[in-house]
Amino acid sequence: MIRSGLLKGLAGAALWVSVGITTAAGEDLVSLQDMTPAQLRAFLKGVDGDWRMDTKQARGLPPPPPRSIPDDAVRHALIPPDKLDPPTTSLAQAISERRSRRSFDSQPVSLETMSFLLWQTQGVTGYAGDPDDTSVPLRAAPSAGARYPLETYVFVQSVDELQPGLYHYDVSAHELVEISLDEALRAALARACFGEQFIYDAAAVIVFTAVPARTEWRYGPIAHRMIAYETGHAAQNLLLAAQASGLNACPVAAYHQPTLDQLMGVDGEHEFSLYLVALGWPPGKAP
């Protein structure tokens, strides 16, 4: 569990008391504080030697099953990619102008803009091999071995045509699936991020979670740094798409792990929160 703990970070410290969060540190996470810098850096460096024949895939074990969504889940269709009217901002301009901005207007983001952001971040953009074979969808962000360990959630706080609440992005259907419409989510999310006001003010906060077993199946001991790579790919896609759309956006790595996992309804072990991006219109510049 040490490797998963490296992805998750520390579970708590005295700081959390100041924002009203009770710590729930797991044993594997507390041990990170006792590791030397050399041990922690080994996570990034990988493994000395050939690890390839000791993976679950190499041993003939089946991959983890795909995520299942209940048949009775409430779904909200997003604007299909071929119906979107993408912004005309060039990639070079989006890269040069991108900044982490934490101030947001109170005006809602349109459903079309949210559809564009999600598709540019983790949407299906093609298929491997035969164009008629849809068994291996390829996404907007690269993934080692097309294992796609990330899941994408949206805390909707002010988006046209959607009630405030927590949604899961169903990549294959390009739809949002309702998880909770609890009115207390907005304040609870801000508390999980140590009381940051800009989290509360954002029109939406997108959260990436990791399901490590998907990548571990193929890559064994180096899977976890690959998951970290992929989260950066996806977040940068989102930040550039937000910039091109005229939105402010800010990546967030400061959150209380057990509290956020519990808020999202993930178990914190087989799936856990990894990275957040808050976004909304710049103050006074909403269309």
Side-chain angles (χ1 to χ4, degrees):
M1 293 301 100
I2 291 294
R3 290 191 297 269
S4 292
L6 284 164
L7 280 175
K8 290 188 281 186
L10 297 174
L15 169 63
W16 308 162
V17 176
S18 68
V19 293
I21 296 174
T22 302
T23 63
E27 181 178 349
D28 59 322
L29 301 180
V30 172
S31 65
L32 293 182
Q33 299 174 84
D34 301 321
M35 295 175 71
T36 67
Q39 290 172 317
L40 293 169
R41 291 169 187 169
F43 165 71
L44 292 177
K45 291 192 290 184
V47 177
D48 292 336
D50 192 345
W51 48 268
R52 292 172 296 173
M53 297 311 295
D54 193 32
T55 66
K56 291 183 178 180
Q57 181 185 26
R59 283 177 274 157
L61 297 175
R67 185 187 187 94
S68 62
I69 297 176
D71 293 337
D72 60 352
V74 178
R75 293 174 170 270
H76 298 266
L78 296 168
I79 310 301
D82 60 352
K83 302 296 183 184
L84 291 170
D85 184 17
T88 58
T89 305
S90 70
L91 177 60
Q93 182 180 352
I95 290 174
S96 64
E97 295 180 353
R98 189 220 59 79
R99 297 290 184 274
S100 295
R101 299 183 176 93
R102 300 169 177 81
S103 299
F104 304 113
D105 197 281
S106 61
Q107 295 302 309
V109 170
S110 70
L111 183 64
E112 180 171 12
T113 296
M114 182 56 63
S115 302
F116 173 73
L117 295 177
L118 290 170
W119 179 63
Q120 290 281 278
T121 299
Q122 282 284 275
V124 173
T125 55
Y127 298 90
D130 188 338
D132 296 326
D133 180 5
T134 60
S135 61
V136 185
L138 303 175
R139 300 189 191 177
S143 178
R147 296 307 303 148
Y148 300 115
L150 301 185
E151 293 290 339
T152 307
Y153 296 80
V154 186
F155 281 93
V156 169
Q157 301 185 160
S158 185
V159 177
D160 286 338
E161 302 181 47
L162 293 173
Q163 289 183 262
L166 174 62
Y167 298 77
H168 171 251
Y169 178 46
D170 182 351
V171 173
S172 60
H174 190 55
E175 294 177 339
L176 285 175
V177 180
E178 279 185 22
I179 296 176
S180 174
L181 300 181
D182 188 343
E183 295 180 357
L185 282 174
R186 187 171 197 162
L189 177 61
R191 288 196 300 272
C193 295
F194 311 136
E196 287 286 0
Q197 182 65 38
F198 77 92
I199 297 292
Y200 188 88
D201 294 341
V205 179
I206 292 177
V207 182
F208 300 109
T209 67
V211 182
R214 297 176 186 167
T215 307
E216 290 167 342
W217 174 77
R218 177 167 290 177
Y219 294 105
I222 69 166
H224 309 89
R225 66 173 180 170
M226 291 181 169
I227 295 170
Y229 300 160
E230 185 169 338
T231 311
H233 299 326
Q236 184 72 341
N237 275 15
L238 175 56
L239 293 169
L240 293 178
Q243 179 65 40
S245 300
L247 298 174
N248 279 358
C250 183
V252 181
Y255 55 86
H256 184 258
Q257 187 77 50
T259 301
L260 182 56
D261 287 344
Q262 183 178 21
L263 186 63
M264 296 183 62
V266 297
D267 65 10
E269 184 57 44
H270 299 96
E271 181 180 0
F272 48 83
S273 310
L274 202 55
Y275 207 17
L276 301 82
V277 176
L279 54 89
W281 293 112
K285 295 186 178 180

